[in-house]
Amino acid sequence: MISGDREQKVMKELYCLRKENAELRAKLRQKENKNENLLQEQGCFFKTLIDTIPDPIFYKDMNGLYQGCNRAFAEKIGFSEEQLLGKSIYDLFPQKLADIYKEKELQFLKTSSVQVDETAFPFTDGTMHDVVIHKGAYKNSEGEIAGIVGVIVDINERKQMEKALRESKELYQQLVELSPDLIGVHDFNGKLLFCNHAAAKILGCKSVDELIGRNAIDFVHPNYIKLVKDKIKHMQKTNNQILFFEQTLLMLNGTCIDVETAGIPISFSGYPAVLVIAKNITQRKRYQELLEKERRKLFLILDQLPAVVYIQAKDRSIRFANRMFINKFGEPEKGKTCYETILGKKEPCEHCKTLNVFNTKEPQEWEWSNNDGKTYQIFNYPFYDINNYLLVLVLGIDVTKRKQAELALKESEILYRTIFENTGTATFLFKRDNKISLVNTEFELLSGYSKEDIEGKKKCLDFVIGEDKELLLEYHSKRFNDPDKAPRKYETRFVDRHGNIKNIMVTVSVIPETQNRVASLQDITEIRRFQQEMIRLEQLNLAAQMAAGIGHEIRNPMTTVRGMLQLYKEKEELTKYKENIDLMIDELDRANTIITQFLSLAKDKPVEKKNTSLNTIITTIFPLINANAFRYNMQIKLELGDISDLLLDDQEIKQLILNLVQNGLEEMEEGNTLTIRTFAKNEEVVLAVSDQGKGIKPEVFDKLGTSFLTTKDEGTGLGLAICYSIAARHNAVISVKTSSEGSTFFVKFKLTN
């Protein structure tokens, strides 16, 4: 019974112990979880804390492998914290930098004391920064060193500022030392603490050391000592700077120098002091004195000028007036304006040109007419006086007589220009270089060019045919070198814009006291053509008279001779001479034909004119013309216009057309085309025959229509002469145009023929 109770009691105690043990274990697990959570919280806090630090932080184990870092370090090197874990410096940095970092770490591990190193550190943007790395050791739970923790401080900006500060300090030191002005520092008792080299030079010292420690007042002229001391006391009391003022200093040898001095209160070596700047103005004062002398001289010169001269200020007051101004407008009173003194007005001018110069600061020139009828040329010149005050020098020159002369000259120019334009002949002015400077309207019409195309651009010889240029150059040379030997009037050939050649009579005159010459041109083309026509008609008339006088006397013997030859030809004993007799008969017939043509030149040859169409005559003989062209392997082209009927001798007109066509065909080559045209123009009916030959030579062109003129081996030279004679009997005119591309003969019949 007892043993059973004890066993029950033991079991109960054992149960209780087990229960307590389970509770203790539960509490222990709860406490461990709490500690673990607390540890995690502390870890998160620690991570958050170092991530908020702007300086890069890293930590490594004893093998130099990274175990972690803050956000700033990861951003600077361009790796995430996960990528960084387990990497060494050789994985992150260039070999050269990694070697430097490794050597520093080994030094740190030997001492384990805090290490501060200044080095270069590459950031992920590629820039190299100056940094200070603070290194320390961290320990494990057993108190042993477990690794290295480092904090990187970027001092790049500070280094740059230090460099800039050094450069700025060096710059200001150089500026002070290189300044030509005296720069020094003294305390408020006057003791010199600092001076630049210019100060020693200005005061006549060999070195700066002779000045340091001395009293600045020793170098002030006695007349200015009280003024300087008062200004220093005022500065000490108010701490305000002293603006530039003039005074006189004494050099070591007693020589006086004029200076402009300014003072600024500063702190020097921790004590209040005065920075003194003094500019040597001795030379400037001398120049000012000289300038004042020159100024008085200038005013004296202005006073003697034969012109109205005064100096005006911006407020319209007159600061100076010369003798001529005073004589004309009176002495300017102080306080009176220019408009009151000169014009006697109470109000200023509405548009004051002189006042405008104050705004533009540019010289101005204008004219002004006074009430007395005088005209003045006004010149306004802005300038600054010795006090840098803007003034205007007004110079008025009486140009009344000059204006009157200009007006007279203008009227004279208009008169002579009118005469020049209305001479009725082409007139131009030219210079020694042959360049044309002026032409009139008649010259424009003659040349086909406008004045703008000619004046100042073309030369006289540009309008002269090539063959005449050499002779005209000789005349031109004589005209300037030996005027008496140069012909005043001569004839030449003029070429217009379209290539037309005209006969011109040139008259050249010298414009006295100049290198200019004036030439007038008279177109004598029609006169020369008329003269040529008269000569040709005289020749035709002479030939006609000869033909009328001797034609029958020659023909009668020729007829007898021809008849006898025909009789001899029939005789048997003369058969062997048959070929010779035929040749003589042919030559007699040919001579008879020439006589017939010769007789057709007669001016008074009777004609039978009928009212007929020129087109009808051409159409009638066209088959004959075409057959003749076919023989030469050439083409005939007809362009017959709508024309009026004319009084014509159809036989003579046929002969005229056939002669012109034959001449054209003989001038062309195989395959060319000859064109026959008719058209009405200016109360005339025109027949035009155009060939595609090589043109008519100049030496032949001038003699066209002359009897016995021929360029053919077997020609008589009467074909064109007959054409001219037929045209004359029909009150018609023949004209010719020729070029290297062919010639055209125009026969112009008047409708009233």
Side-chain angles (χ1 to χ4, degrees), residues 297-439:
K297 284 183 184 179
L298 175 62
F299 284 152
L300 182 61
I301 293 171
L302 293 177
D303 200 49
Q304 301 299 320
L305 283 177
V308 174
V309 181
Y310 66 94
I311 295 175
Q312 181 179 318
K314 194 170 185 179
D315 61 359
R316 293 188 170 90
S317 63
I318 296 175
R319 300 294 181 88
F320 166 82
N322 74 339
R323 175 181 49 80
M324 193 167 181
F325 181 97
I326 294 170
N327 292 339
K328 189 167 186 63
F329 303 108
E331 184 80 38
E333 297 180 18
K334 190 174 182 180
K336 268 196 172 185
T337 61
C338 56
Y339 54 85
E340 291 175 309
T341 304
I342 299 172
L343 303 175
K345 291 183 176 181
K346 293 184 179 180
E347 296 294 331
C349 302
E350 186 177 355
H351 301 290
C352 181
K353 290 184 169 59
T354 304
L355 196 64
N356 187 48
V357 176
F358 285 99
N359 299 325
T360 63
K361 298 181 178 59
E362 294 290 336
Q364 193 177 52
E365 179 183 344
W366 50 288
E367 285 187 3
W368 174 65
S369 296
N370 199 7
N371 296 330
D372 58 3
K374 297 280 188 180
T375 301
Y376 292 86
Q377 190 79 23
I378 307 297
F379 299 90
N380 291 338
Y381 298 101
F383 71 98
Y384 290 90
D385 68 0
I386 196 170
N387 298 315
N388 205 34
Y389 190 80
L390 182 62
L391 300 170
V392 174
L393 173 67
V394 183
L395 178 68
I397 300 173
D398 187 349
V399 294
T400 307
K401 291 183 179 179
R402 193 193 76 191
K403 296 295 288 184
Q404 291 171 349
E406 286 177 354
L407 181 60
L409 179 62
K410 188 175 181 180
E411 290 175 351
S412 176
E413 286 179 353
I414 293 172
L415 173 63
Y416 284 114
R417 183 74 193 195
T418 303
I419 295 172
F420 181 77
E421 284 291 346
N422 295 279
T423 57
T425 59
T427 308
F428 66 92
L429 269 65
F430 64 99
K431 298 182 179 181
R432 192 183 187 100
D433 62 358
N434 258 317
K435 188 165 285 186
I436 298 173
S437 57
L438 187 68
V439 300

Side-chain angles (χ1 to χ4, degrees), residues 473-489:
L473 278 173
E474 181 183 340
Y475 289 168
H476 181 74
S477 177
K478 288 180 179 179
R479 193 173 296 117
F480 284 94
N481 300 321
D482 195 357
D484 294 336
K485 293 184 179 179
R488 184 172 177 270
K489 185 178 288 189

Side-chain angles (χ1 to χ4, degrees), residues 610-657:
K610 295 179 181 178
N611 197 36
T612 185
S613 171
L614 185 59
N615 290 346
T616 302
I617 296 173
I618 295 170
T619 305
T620 302
I621 62 173
F622 180 70
L624 178 61
I625 294 171
N626 205 26
N628 196 23
F630 182 77
R631 185 164 60 89
Y632 288 102
N633 193 22
M634 296 177 187
Q635 303 293 324
I636 300 295
K637 181 180 179 183
L638 292 184
E639 294 180 3
L640 305 181
D642 186 9
I643 57 175
S644 302
D645 290 347
L646 299 167
L647 284 173
L648 303 173
D649 184 323
D650 62 344
Q651 293 302 318
E652 285 208 327
I653 297 303
K654 287 178 183 179
Q655 185 176 1
L656 180 146
I657 296 170

Side-chain angles (χ1 to χ4, degrees), residues 55 108 136 149 163 251 276 309 358 396 528 571 606 711 716 745:
D55 295 325
F108 168 74
V149 62
K163 182 182 178 183
M251 297 175 65
V276 179
V309 181
F358 285 99
R528 288 290 176 262
K571 292 183 178 184
T711 58
T716 62
F745 282 78

Side-chain angles (χ1 to χ4, degrees), residues 718-730:
L718 294 174
L720 270 181
I722 291 171
C723 291
Y724 276 91
S725 181
I726 293 171
R729 287 195 289 273
H730 285 77

Side-chain angles (χ1 to χ4, degrees), residues 83 133 144 241 360 390 452 503 515 588 722:
Q83 292 173 327
I133 302 178
E144 297 175 347
Q241 68 181 44
T360 63
L390 182 62
E452 292 75 15
N503 294 96
Q515 290 290 311
L588 284 172
I722 291 171

